[in-house]
Amino acid sequence: MAHYFVGDIQGCYQELSLLLAKVDFNPSRDQLWAVGDLVARGPEPLAVLRLFQSLEDAGNVVLGNHDLHLLAVFAGLKKAKACDHLQAIVDADDGESLINFLRCQPLMRELPQHKLVMTHAGVPPQWDLATLRQECHRVSEALMADDYLEALIAKMYTQTSENWSESLSGIDRLRYCINALTRMRFLHPDGALDFDCKQAPQSMMNSSLTPWFTFKNQLPQDYRIIFGHWAALMGKTDNEQMLALDTGCCWGEYLTLYHLEKNERITQKSLNKG
């Protein structure tokens, strides 16, 4: 069995198909792990969702911020941007089935035998492994509840800088987990999340902001974190414990597939002519 991890697909179905063909991916023997943001910006998010739903146990997805946003768009709580190509999902006969598929996906997946965790944006440096598991489980429970739209999805949006505290409760606790695991890039000196800066660390002019992965984290020292979300990194963190896979396919760069057993990256140039 081979474990393949793929960066932010964001609707780039053709590039994903070419990557899988390069490695002769076979769901009867291999596993495909996706760091989230299956949808948005690329031209074929509907095809991407259908593929991962069809993979069943051979596909392992974590939710990204665009995947969660799709839940809000499908329910009419938010409007989709035309460039995100989400209307095809809203109009699809199997749209509701695909949304229910997304609702079942967690914010974190773990491969204990290989000592790694996968999230969309990263792991807050304040959290140990037990906290990560616990807080992600809380969000999964809320997503599967009958009132998930009004109790969670409608309230998950915020631009207020947030920091972790054990005293957080209710929607504030759930929202911190969602924001940290699906939107995090830079942190303030006190560890609070910043939602404004998306540029590469080497281009950063604000000395008070630091990439989350440069903070000392509380995970076991031999664990690795696989994440996406931050295209400006182009897969580089200068930290062997942190494996970044978003390499900007939907922006005209390339899609990255990581073969765990070979410790190898395979790439496919974007077919986006725009």
Side-chain angles (χ1 to χ4, degrees):
M1 175 191 291
H3 292 85
Y4 298 102
F5 291 77
V6 65
D8 297 37
I9 302 165
Q10 293 202 333
C12 296
Y13 177 75
Q14 295 300 321
E15 290 87 343
L16 175 61
S17 298
L18 289 169
L19 266 182
L20 296 180
K22 284 182 181 181
V23 298
D24 191 26
F25 174 79
N26 186 332
S28 68
R29 65 168 186 259
D30 302 324
Q31 293 272 312
L32 181 60
W33 295 59
V35 300
D37 277 3
L38 301 182
V39 305
R41 298 200 173 106
E44 298 179 88
L46 177 59
V48 173
L49 281 182
R50 285 172 171 167
L51 170 63
F52 275 91
Q53 186 182 46
S54 72
L55 288 176
E56 298 182 343
D57 292 342
N60 300 273
V61 176
V62 293
L63 294 171
N65 52 304
H66 284 289
D67 306 316
L68 287 166
H69 182 63
L70 171 59
L71 300 183
V73 169
F74 192 85
L77 297 174
K78 289 285 182 177
K79 289 186 177 181
K81 296 178 181 178
C83 62
D84 284 343
H85 306 283
L86 298 182
Q87 193 59 46
I89 300 170
V90 174
D91 294 339
D93 291 341
D94 57 345
E96 187 171 350
S97 172
L98 294 170
I99 292 300
N100 287 330
F101 164 75
L102 279 182
R103 284 177 63 196
C104 294
Q105 306 312 308
L107 291 180
M108 181 275 285
R109 287 187 183 271
E110 184 178 358
L111 208 53
Q113 65 271 38
H114 290 280
K115 297 182 179 179
L116 62 82
V117 295
M118 176 178 73
T119 74
H120 179 58
V123 177
Q126 305 96 319
W127 285 6
D128 58 18
L129 193 54
T131 304
L132 175 63
R133 292 167 176 161
Q134 170 186 282
E135 299 307 317
C136 290
H137 181 67
R138 290 178 190 269
V139 173
S140 290
E141 285 189 323
L143 279 171
M144 295 308 298
D146 291 341
D147 64 346
Y148 82 102
L149 288 172
E150 57 267 30
L152 180 64
I153 299 301
K155 298 177 180 179
M156 69 179 177
Y157 294 94
T158 179
Q159 287 301 117
T160 304
S161 181
E162 298 177 348
N163 206 341
W164 168 248
S165 170
E166 280 287 357
S167 65
L168 290 174
S169 61
I171 185 61
D172 292 331
R173 193 168 184 126
L174 297 172
R175 187 161 50 208
Y176 176 83
C177 182
I178 288 173
N179 282 327
L181 270 62
T182 71
R183 299 176 65 196
M184 180 172 61
R185 291 187 181 94
F186 288 98
L187 301 180
H188 293 273
D190 64 354
L193 304 171
D194 174 79
F195 296 129
D196 296 324
C197 187
K198 301 180 181 180
Q199 64 198 85
Q202 61 268 26
S203 305
M204 186 63 188
M205 302 301 293
N206 186 346
S207 60
S208 69
L209 295 177
T210 306
W212 68 266
F213 51 80
T214 64
F215 280 68
K216 180 176 175 54
N217 67 75
Q218 307 303 311
L219 298 183
Q221 291 186 353
D222 56 353
Y223 258 64
R224 287 190 293 168
I225 301 172
I226 294 184
F227 69 100
H229 182 59
W230 199 343
L233 293 178
M234 289 303 292
K236 298 177 181 178
T237 65
D238 296 323
N239 184 335
E240 292 183 358
Q241 190 185 15
M242 310 293 176
L243 185 61
L245 291 183
D246 184 3
T247 45
C249 187
C250 69
W251 302 112
E253 296 295 338
Y254 52 91
L255 189 63
T256 294
L257 192 73
Y258 174 67
H259 187 165
L260 176 63
E261 286 75 16
K262 292 184 178 180
N263 191 28
E264 177 185 18
R265 293 182 186 230
I266 304 99
T267 61
Q268 170 60 46
K269 183 73 173 109
S270 172
L271 302 178
N272 179 18
K273 300 299 191 294

